[in-house]
Amino acid sequence: MAQQLVDRRDLDFVIWEQMEAESLLKNDIYKEFNKKTCDMIITEARTLAIKEMLPTLAEGDKQGIRFDKGSVKVPDCFHAPHRLILEGEWQSLPMDPGLGGQGAPGFVSAACAEYFLAANYALYVYASMGNGTAKMIDLYGTPEQKAAYIPNIISGKWGGTMLLTESMAGSDVGALETSAKKNDDGTYTLSGNKIFITNGEHDLCENIIHPVLARIEGDPPGTKGISIFIVPKYFVNEDGSLGDRNDIVCTGVEEKHGLHGSATASMALGTKGRCIGYLLGTPREGMKVMFNMINGARMATGLQALSNASAAYLLAVNYARERIQGRNLEDFKDQSAPSVPIIKHPDVRRNLLWMKSYVNGMQSFFHYLTSCATRGALGETEEERERFADLFDMLTPSIKDYLAVRGHEVCIQAIQVYGGAGYCQDYPVEQYARDCKITSIYEGTSGIQAMDMLARKLGKKEGRVFMSLLEEMNKTIARAREIEGPSALAADVEAAANRLGEISMAMGKRALSPQFKLAFAHSLPFLNVIGDTIMAWMLLWRATVAATQLANGTKKKDVAFYLGQIKTAEFYIKTILPEVMGKMNAIEAGCPAALEIDDDGFGGL
Ligand SMILES: Cc1cc2nc3c(=O)[nH]c(=O)nc-3n(C[C@H](O)[C@H](O)[C@H](O)COP(=O)(O)OP(=O)(O)OC[C@H]3O[C@@H](n4cnc5c(N)ncnc54)[C@H](O)[C@@H]3O)c2cc1C
């Protein structure tokens, strides 16, 4: 039967053959897990995703969110699968067992989450979003706060959110106006308005715990003066039961381009002057605390986009195998020749391989970064831990934005494969394209991720972290050189990696020079070519593993899969990578037109 949502053979290849995840399972904290149990968990997740969650994707999109006098109803069809998610404790899979989670290895929870997000992102996130809230409370909360909130958030009985955005404070969070006034009992009274809050209000749980960014009266402007508060929808009594309603209300939900099943709420705090919040951590360290959740959410956003792209690609390739249209090119003049499935047409094949190369490259990139996070925490030596923790930190803007942008492009190309049918709502690819678009906007837009890479990440530790990325690429290139097939591709990837090193130096220097604005005018193309080069690296790595398996003699059923890996790498490296080299030349040349054009020169006046 055709694969749905995520190609399982490919996922297994990435986890076990490319990333060699079995070596991670040797760590004591994973003693409950072996390859067999990991495979079983992923299989169970796939079944839940396909059988129970996927059927709600289109229906949830159609019915959408209903708002009535402060209350919000999710699509009716969400209730039953939401209960199944909580009964199976799927939402707590990655969480620490000490907090009530399952403690699954990162690659297992990522694989399961990819199935869930591909099946219905809007639905799954009602259950899973609280993890970030709980983690922050665990890291910075008092023992009382931990006891009061964490267990019920982890179990999914209560939801969790993140309240940063205000109408005049989007990308510039430091401009926020929500204020907090200290009360005699040590609590704070909050007042302000937040917008675009995912899951800010809904009917899937008893209580919602809101981490809210606000400024304590008298604290300095900008991000330095921001603190973070726990604001529960219902107060929690000392015995753990729910108390009165707090003064935080939903004043409306957005009508959006996509994600119609996801409640994007406007929240008013303190309209009656009684919104009580509890300081989390110490005053003015709100951004530091919130970044624990933001960084996790950036990884999750990348995965969201990848999951959409993965599902859209599988739909497209299977449609192309079935849709009969047109004759083979060699039968061009023969009117009696039979029509063929569109997968036989060279341009459709090119498009499918274009999509496959990105989906495969992004799948490997995501699992590579997941393994960096694991090795950064559990590596055997201090040196290993530091190296991989640094790589993880540096590549966070890249995984977030590259997957968002390319994931969306893959969804758009899936529509192209379907032709007119793709543009219609009877087929799911247009929904994936709509749902996916948000990923390059929330959790920091593309422009903000690009600035983060250029201003903060590139120069980390005098550029040594970036150099270690290039070293990692070079290890794969050296391996590829020794194997027939990939060896013919190694030189191109090496040239791209070297060129990326040169461009990075040039961009780093420019960012510190009087021409710094020019550097920032090219920061997004720069972030893009980092991702493009990582794709080439990941695909070469895949091809090397595949060629090794073929050389060692593999099962007949796997031959096409492995040969497909080599062809995918060849396609990307020989047809897309040259464009990337051109983009790198343009970045280095640094055309100043975007800065020099007069505001009025943009036209439209
Ligand atoms: C569906 C959805 C769900 C969301 N969920 C949440 C949530 O749960 N919690 C929450 O707090 N927020 C949430 N958001 C808000 C989201 O994070 C913001 O929309 C996003 O950060 C961008 O802010 P903005 O919309 O104000 O755009 P702006 O900040 O006004 O940006 C507009 C454009 O200008 C660019 N830009 C702005 N400033 C700069 C700069 N200094 N340099 C270069 N370019 C710049 C941006 O890249 C963008 O292209 C959500 C939004 C949506 C649509």
Side-chain angles (χ1 to χ4, degrees), residues 173-308:
V173 181
L176 64 77
E177 289 178 352
T178 298
S179 66
K181 188 175 177 190
K182 192 163 185 184
N183 301 317
D184 292 343
D185 63 357
T187 65
Y188 289 78
T189 300
L190 273 73
S191 163
N193 291 288
K194 297 283 179 181
I195 60 166
F196 294 158
I197 303 307
T198 301
N199 304 344
E201 179 61 45
H202 59 87
D203 58 346
L204 282 173
C205 61
E206 292 173 5
N207 198 6
I208 302 179
I209 310 305
H210 303 285
V212 179
L213 293 186
R215 198 180 313 279
I216 299 172
E217 281 185 358
D219 275 350
T223 48
K224 282 193 184 122
I226 293 178
S227 302
I228 185 166
F229 301 86
I230 303 172
V231 178
K233 174 176 163 184
Y234 288 99
F235 292 111
V236 181
N237 297 322
E238 270 184 20
D239 65 359
S241 61
L242 292 185
D244 292 340
R245 179 88 199 239
N246 201 354
D247 182 12
I248 176 167
V249 287
C250 175
T251 52
V253 291
E254 304 295 336
E255 290 293 336
K256 306 188 294 292
H257 175 57
L259 289 186
H260 291 147
S262 174
T264 305
S266 300
M267 307 295 295
L269 293 83
T271 47
K272 298 183 193 128
R274 291 201 306 266
C275 177
I276 300 299
Y278 307 96
L279 184 69
L280 181 58
T282 56
R284 295 173 296 285
E285 67 168 3
M287 289 309 289
K288 183 178 134 197
V289 177
M290 190 56 111
F291 254 98
N292 285 284
M293 187 161 180
I294 292 173
N295 280 333
R298 287 183 173 168
M299 274 297 272
T301 304
L303 188 62
Q304 177 191 354
L306 167 60
S307 73
N308 287 176

Side-chain angles (χ1 to χ4, degrees), residues 440-463:
S440 62
I441 297 173
Y442 60 18
E443 299 308 336
T445 61
S446 294
I448 297 303
Q449 302 303 327
M451 288 169 75
D452 185 30
M453 176 57 86
L454 184 59
R456 294 180 58 239
K457 302 292 164 78
L458 181 61
K460 225 181 142 189
K461 298 192 175 168
E462 289 84 43

Side-chain angles (χ1 to χ4, degrees), residues 404-535:
V405 171
R406 293 283 182 256
H408 183 245
E409 285 172 2
V410 168
C411 295
I412 297 287
Q413 287 310 317
I415 295 177
Q416 200 67 21
V417 172
Y418 271 74
Y423 196 63
C424 299
Q425 294 197 341
D426 296 343
Y427 294 87
V429 284
E430 68 82 35
Q431 186 184 342
Y432 279 122
R434 279 188 288 112
D435 286 356
C436 191
K437 179 54 208 158
I438 188 60
T439 56
S440 62
I441 297 173
Y442 60 18
E443 299 308 336
T445 61
S446 294
I448 297 303
Q449 302 303 327
M451 288 169 75
D452 185 30
M453 176 57 86
L454 184 59
R456 294 180 58 239
K457 302 292 164 78
L458 181 61
K460 225 181 142 189
K461 298 192 175 168
E462 289 84 43
R464 287 198 307 279
V465 183
F466 202 86
M467 292 312 290
S468 73
L469 171 68
L470 299 178
E471 283 162 20
E472 292 291 309
M473 291 184 185
N474 282 324
K475 283 183 200 162
T476 303
I477 293 164
R479 251 180 91 193
R481 279 195 197 293
E482 288 165 11
I483 297 169
E484 205 189 323
S487 61
L489 305 171
D492 298 78
V493 181
E494 185 177 39
N498 288 343
R499 190 76 181 112
L500 183 65
E502 289 166 11
I503 300 296
S504 309
M505 298 273 279
M507 284 292 278
K509 273 193 197 143
R510 205 180 272 162
L512 295 172
S513 79
Q515 282 193 308
F516 63 92
K517 281 179 96 168
L518 188 60
F520 284 96
H522 291 270
S523 57
L524 188 54
F526 175 60
L527 185 66
N528 258 311
V529 296
I530 294 173
D532 289 334
T533 311
I534 290 174
M535 292 298 99

